[in-house]
Amino acid sequence: MPNTNFLCIDDQQDRTIDDLLSLLHKSNKELLVERKTPIELAAQIKQISTASKEKNNFGLLLDLRLDQEATDDHPKVPYRGPTLAQELRTRMTEKKIAPFPIVLWSITEKFVKSFDESSHDLFDAVFGKDDQIIDQPAQVAIQMISLVNGYAQIVSNKKGRLAGAMLGFGQESTVGLHESFVEEFKYFVEGKAVHEISSYLLNSLIGPTGLLIDKTLLAARLGIDIAKSGASWTQLQVELEIARYGGPFCAGWQRWWWFTVEVWWNNLNAKQPNLRRIGAAERIKILNDRFGFALKAATPIEADYSDKFFCICVATGKPLDPADGFRVAELNMKPWQDTAYVSGYAALNRIEKTKWRISSADRGRFDRLKKS
């Protein structure tokens, strides 16, 4: 495989940055990152533009705060990462520079203090130096590589305005997709810049649960305990290859088309029961009997909870029947996206409270639970 080349702009002067970049490279040898110190804005844009032309498979890694430290050769710059990213995105829209992914990284504390959520769409991914980079370097590396490859995939299909092919269907087909999503996505493919299409895919399709689901939710909806199922879980994924998302960024963010999984389930047997109406143990028995697997059933968060799992508790990350949870308040949800839930157990114990807020539609029911 060809190397993926990132340019890192970061003003931190100690060896911490070099150590983190080395950690990423060691976890995936295909990822090469060259580090530079920030310079005057016009010169910085020229430097990045030149690098993007000279290096194949190019991406940019930016620090959030570029305005804190200086060197003997370069004074402290008066701009931050989002400012630089905004100027680069504008030039991409104007087709003055070729499109490439921009990734933001920083210390978590600085994100909390300095990152304006309105700047989020400028970046294809955001990583914490003190958590994700250290804890999951291999995952971060493959996502960075996937971003670069995904941009190439978008560019290739955008030329022919092939919305279906871009999503990995192999043909210009959108059968089975939510009509509202198809209309919006075609609008982006036909009239928006590459980085805008990237942002739309990552934030409206791949990130939220709905048309696509991740492996945690896939396992929950099939009633599977991944850790206890061992090789059988891997074998099941082979059976579900037909449902795997193959569009941009698929290597970094593994997803499955839920409507295809449902069709697959319904075709397993002549009198297949509705997946939503049976518990995890029955779902597992059907799969094991059909394929000869040794899958193990997932268990509820609480002993008296239902095992008719269909969502994941946002606080505990465990399988949940929506009947045992409360809807989470969410802004600007798309029609094809699923409602998120927090379990009653997590809500009562305020687990990961910063990650959720109970919707006003379920607030009264939660109040009654607290009283009881």
Side-chain angles (χ1 to χ4, degrees):
M1 292 290 292
N3 290 328
T4 298
N5 297 284
F6 266 79
L7 176 62
C8 172
I9 309 297
D10 198 299
D11 67 341
Q12 193 168 332
Q13 297 305 307
D14 58 34
R15 283 202 51 82
T16 302
I17 299 305
D18 294 323
D19 291 341
L20 292 175
L21 296 179
S22 177
L23 189 62
L24 290 173
H25 174 65
K26 287 178 180 178
S27 69
N28 194 315
K29 299 295 185 181
E30 294 175 16
L31 179 63
L32 304 179
V33 187
E34 179 185 11
R35 179 188 174 183
K36 295 285 187 180
T37 300
I39 55 179
E40 185 271 328
L41 186 59
Q44 186 69 84
I45 292 171
K46 183 177 180 180
Q47 181 187 74
I48 294 169
S49 178
T50 299
S52 70
K53 294 175 183 177
E54 294 178 346
K55 296 180 181 293
N56 295 323
N57 306 315
F58 179 80
L60 180 65
L61 178 62
L62 286 182
D63 186 29
L64 174 62
R65 296 296 303 270
L66 299 172
D67 58 344
Q68 292 187 302
E69 297 189 28
T71 68
D72 294 337
D73 299 324
H74 302 293
K76 187 186 298 185
V77 299
Y79 61 87
R80 300 181 181 185
T83 302
L84 177 55
Q86 179 63 73
E87 182 59 31
L88 291 169
R89 291 308 195 194
T90 299
R91 296 186 183 218
M92 290 179 197
T93 301
E94 295 172 347
K95 298 183 178 180
K96 293 180 179 179
I97 58 176
F100 52 79
I102 303 178
V103 176
L104 183 72
W105 73 342
S106 185
I107 301 296
T108 302
E109 183 181 356
K110 292 182 180 179
F111 276 136
V112 174
K113 291 182 177 179
S114 305
F115 188 50
D116 182 352
E117 286 297 326
S118 65
S119 301
H120 195 277
D121 287 347
L122 296 171
F123 303 98
D124 297 285
V126 177
F127 299 120
K129 294 178 182 177
D130 52 344
D131 44 38
Q132 289 154 296
I133 304 296
I134 293 175
D135 299 335
Q136 305 170 27
Q139 179 64 21
V140 172
I142 194 61
Q143 288 184 342
M144 291 173 68
I145 293 171
S146 180
L147 286 172
V148 172
N149 293 337
Y151 263 63
Q153 193 172 348
I154 292 172
V155 169
S156 175
N157 287 287
K158 179 175 170 57
K159 292 177 181 179
R161 297 184 174 184
L162 300 175
M166 190 182 293
L167 293 172
F169 288 116
Q171 56 184 344
E172 188 51 17
S173 172
T174 53
V175 175
L177 294 180
H178 196 287
E179 185 176 344
S180 297
F181 169 75
V182 173
E183 291 180 0
E184 262 192 26
F185 186 55
K186 285 185 176 179
Y187 165 75
F188 272 80
V189 171
E190 294 172 3
K192 294 294 184 178
V194 171
H195 66 274
E196 293 174 298
I197 298 173
S198 166
S199 178
Y200 182 78
L201 284 172
L202 289 165
N203 297 319
S204 295
L205 178 65
I206 295 173
T209 296
L211 288 172
L212 294 178
I213 61 173
D214 64 14
K215 71 174 184 179
T216 304
L217 185 54
L218 175 65
R221 288 184 176 178
L222 295 177
I224 300 168
D225 185 313
I226 294 177
K228 294 180 180 179
S229 295
S232 288
W233 166 245
T234 303
Q235 293 166 349
L236 178 64
Q237 290 180 75
V238 174
E239 297 292 337
L240 280 167
E241 193 63 31
I242 188 175
R244 192 183 292 272
Y245 169 68
F249 320 122
C250 62
W253 289 265
Q254 291 190 344
R255 298 290 187 270
W256 288 261
W257 293 106
W258 175 242
F259 68 89
T260 306
V261 176
E262 283 190 306
V263 171
W264 170 86
W265 171 267
N266 291 332
N267 290 335
L268 287 180
N269 296 298
K271 296 182 179 180
Q272 188 73 340
N274 187 307
L275 187 63
R276 301 185 187 217
R277 295 180 180 176
I278 60 176
E282 191 173 348
R283 297 174 193 178
I284 291 300
K285 185 178 186 308
I286 290 171
L287 292 171
N288 286 341
D289 289 348
R290 176 68 173 78
F291 297 106
F293 292 155
L295 296 164
K296 302 298 181 183
T299 55
I301 297 171
E302 291 277 84
D304 60 343
Y305 278 13
S306 162
D307 67 345
K308 294 179 180 179
F309 306 129
F310 212 75
C311 63
I312 296 294
C313 170
V314 297
T316 64
K318 295 182 178 180
L320 180 70
D321 180 340
D324 293 317
F326 298 90
R327 286 170 286 185
V328 172
E330 296 177 273
L331 297 175
N332 304 317
M333 278 187 64
K334 301 289 188 178
W336 58 86
Q337 295 172 3
D338 292 345
T339 300
Y341 286 82
V342 61
S343 65
Y345 166 79
L348 288 172
N349 291 282
R350 301 179 62 82
I351 298 173
E352 297 286 355
K353 187 63 183 70
T354 58
K355 294 183 178 180
W356 54 270
R357 179 171 59 85
I358 293 177
S359 167
S360 58
D362 277 356
R363 173 57 62 180
R365 189 162 65 88
F366 178 62
D367 289 341
R368 290 192 293 274
L369 175 64
K370 287 195 296 183
K371 290 179 181 178
S372 67

